[in-house]
Amino acid sequence: MAWAAGILRASKRVSAAGVDLRDLSIALRPSRVLRVPLSRAWWSVTPTSTMSTLKGELIQHFSSEEPILHTKVSIIGTGSVGMACAFSIIAKGLTDELALVDSNEEKMKGETMDLQHGSVFMKMPNIVCSKDFHVTANSEVVVITAGARQAKDETRLNLVQRNVAIFKVMIASIVKHSPHCKLIVVSNPVDILTYVTWKLSGFPKNRIIGSGCNLDTARFRYMLGERLGIHSESCHGWVLGEHGDSSVPVWSGVNIAGVPLKELNSAIGTSKDPEQWGNVHKEVIASAYKIIKMKGYTSWAIGLSVADIAESILKNLRKIHPVSTKIKGLYGIKEEVFLSVPCILGENGISDIIKVRLSPTEEAQMVKSAETLWEIQKGIKF
Ligand SMILES: NC(=O)c1ccc[n+]([C@@H]2O[C@H](COP(=O)([O-])OP(=O)(O)OC[C@H]3O[C@@H](n4cnc5c(N)ncnc54)[C@H](O)[C@@H]3O)[C@@H](O)[C@H]2O)c1
């Protein structure tokens, strides 16, 4: 009887989420998704009461389990970046369930199985995958790493327009299955695609987070540390604005143990600086191109940086991250563009923005980035 009830609950959960795991996904330890003990779940076709099996001989059913709510993160795109995000999120133990989606089914299944097989060595969450977005149902956080790659000689607007077509389908499916999730956009051009995601999702701005300059800032702090012989965690500084080439290093705020470097070298970050500290930021910009030239893509640092963002949301840490958000109204920006500023991240996504005082040059750089982005955004056909 308890066995029958177990199956019933399992099917109920399956239909409530609209997911038939048997057809749509590979699941590791499905008992954890459904919160039904292995011996009671739908794949246990033979009741131990009528036929003697090894499992029946080994395991005595003790009590029925009710399905309960648990943390779920979904990652769209199981390429280099998506899988680095997945691994980093698992390594930090941030979620009970991880759902992976990709249009390339073979790659997605291969990646999923490969991860699952590491379960003996690390406390793996339940990992499910499918081409169908059903598998993402009831996610707290959804990370978007899928999208079209820039073709040779393709304009940025053309790339964005191709991504809009992909995002239209993707975002509608995510929203349908996880209407209360926080969306972390990683796909490039990240600031524009964060805007596109905001437009398409209809979500309030606090639940749309672009990974933005979180990675640029991490690289900046690492490179400062390299030059000073100090661990990156103790090197404080922020790279804001547009992710990539036109990002803005805020030299006025760079400090070690509260000592502003600008007080020691007033020309820091400018061309007049005899020590040329500005090269640190130039290296930050160049590093993505260098890594791509050497290994074909970047993955580990962006994966770790996304896990850091997800951690602040899932644990309601209220930590500050330089992530891409709707910046209209700040620094005199009038358009609906998304740029990175320090944001307080918690269970509702972005709750507050830190009003960083920028120098006139830095502010002008922000405004210029906003104008460049708007030039592209206003040409987008939704
Ligand atoms: N924001 C950042 O700091 C940052 C850093 C590195 C990379 N990125 C970006 O992340 C993205 C992913 O990079 P990557 O190296 O993993 O690329 P990739 O090509 O290895 O992976 C992309 C994956 O998305 C899948 N995909 C494409 N369209 C899809 C769709 N409609 N539905 C489901 N899946 C789909 C592909 O099959 C592929 O597996 C790129 O846009 C890249 O520029 C951003």
Side-chain angles (χ1 to χ4, degrees):
M1 192 57 200
W3 179 84
I7 294 177
L8 203 67
R9 267 199 305 281
S11 346
K12 208 170 143 198
R13 170 72 165 79
V14 164
S15 66
V19 185
D20 185 340
L21 292 169
R22 283 162 292 191
D23 296 328
L24 293 170
S25 58
I26 331 176
L28 173 78
R29 288 186 283 148
S31 61
R32 295 201 59 203
V33 189
L34 309 171
R35 285 288 193 263
V36 177
L38 279 166
S39 57
R40 301 285 167 238
W42 50 257
W43 62 92
S44 172
V45 237
T46 318
T48 50
S49 52
T50 56
M51 191 191 284
S52 174
T53 63
L54 187 151
K55 204 161 111 183
E57 291 300 314
L58 180 70
I59 302 169
Q60 167 72 52
H61 180 53
F62 187 65
S63 72
S64 302
E65 290 183 50
E66 292 297 327
I68 58 165
L69 279 177
H70 55 282
T71 320
K72 179 166 175 178
V73 173
S74 293
I75 298 176
I76 319 302
T78 56
S80 325
V81 172
M83 292 318 294
C85 293
F87 189 79
S88 305
I89 285 169
I90 292 171
K92 276 174 159 279
L94 295 182
T95 190
D96 303 325
E97 186 175 352
L98 183 70
L100 303 173
V101 177
D102 201 294
S103 48
N104 181 343
E105 200 165 12
E106 282 291 292
K107 163 101 169 103
M108 174 193 74
K109 283 185 175 170
E111 291 287 5
T112 304
M113 285 168 69
D114 201 9
L115 263 186
Q116 289 172 334
H117 296 172
S119 125
V120 167
F121 310 108
M122 198 154 66
K123 289 182 184 63
M124 287 282 174
N126 175 47
I127 306 172
V128 290
C129 74
S130 174
K131 265 175 89 166
D132 194 304
F133 281 82
H134 276 114
V135 82
T136 64
N138 303 316
S139 296
E140 217 166 306
V141 168
V142 178
V143 180
I144 302 172
T145 74
R149 279 189 173 185
Q150 193 155 13
K152 201 167 172 273
D153 300 328
E154 185 178 30
T155 64
R156 231 168 149 208
L157 178 59
N158 205 55
L159 170 68
V160 170
Q161 199 57 62
R162 280 201 297 134
N163 270 313
V164 169
I166 293 171
F167 271 53
K168 262 188 183 167
V169 180
M170 203 159 62
I171 302 298
S173 310
I174 295 169
V175 170
K176 180 176 159 204
H177 295 294
S178 302
H180 306 294
C181 71
K182 269 72 65 181
L183 281 162
I184 304 177
V185 183
V186 184
S187 313
N188 273 323
V190 68
D191 299 296
I192 297 178
L193 290 181
T194 308
Y195 161 78
V196 167
T197 302
W198 171 67
K199 286 287 270 187
L200 293 172
S201 66
F203 278 10
K205 61 187 177 190
N206 56 298
R207 289 202 275 130
I208 306 288
I209 301 126
S211 69
C213 288
N214 208 49
L215 175 60
D216 313 54
T217 297
R219 285 179 174 147
F220 183 68
R221 293 174 66 188
Y222 173 77
M223 288 171 198
L224 278 177
E226 283 272 276
R227 222 166 141 164
L228 291 166
I230 296 173
H231 193 277
S232 54
E233 245 187 329
S234 299
C235 296
H236 306 285
W238 296 79
V239 176
L240 304 178
E242 189 183 354
H243 164 64
D245 298 359
S246 66
S247 62
V248 182
V250 186
W251 284 104
S252 50
V254 176
N255 75 86
I256 309 292
V259 180
L261 300 193
K262 205 167 172 57
E263 276 184 10
L264 310 176
N265 174 356
S266 59
I268 198 163
T270 69
S271 56
K272 294 191 187 82
D273 175 10
E275 295 184 61
Q276 289 298 302
W277 280 87
N279 285 343
V280 172
H281 181 244
K282 287 192 183 129
E283 281 169 40
V284 167
I285 294 171
S287 61
Y289 297 105
K290 264 192 201 167
I291 298 168
I292 290 170
K293 192 164 171 234
M294 290 187 279
K295 66 174 251 191
Y297 52 86
T298 65
S299 57
W300 297 117
I302 181 64
L304 286 163
S305 96
V306 168
D308 196 44
I309 294 170
E311 182 176 38
S312 289
I313 298 169
L314 294 165
K315 294 187 181 169
N316 194 22
L317 295 182
R318 297 186 62 76
K319 255 175 65 173
I320 303 176
H321 299 258
V323 286
S324 195
T325 188
K326 192 158 162 261
I327 202 185
K328 187 177 173 184
L330 269 180
Y331 307 116
I333 293 167
K334 293 185 186 65
E335 311 294 358
E336 284 180 336
V337 291
F338 282 64
L339 288 174
S340 288
V341 286
C343 296
I344 301 181
L345 281 183
E347 61 189 348
N348 293 312
I350 299 172
S351 63
D352 307 85
I353 290 174
I354 304 298
K355 295 183 276 180
V356 178
R357 290 200 189 125
L358 299 175
S359 70
T361 321
E362 290 159 355
E363 194 164 320
Q365 281 176 276
M366 281 286 234
V367 171
K368 190 164 172 276
S369 284
E371 284 167 2
T372 312
L373 293 183
W374 186 246
E375 270 310 300
I376 297 168
Q377 284 176 202
K378 72 180 188 192
I380 298 175
K381 289 181 186 67
F382 283 99

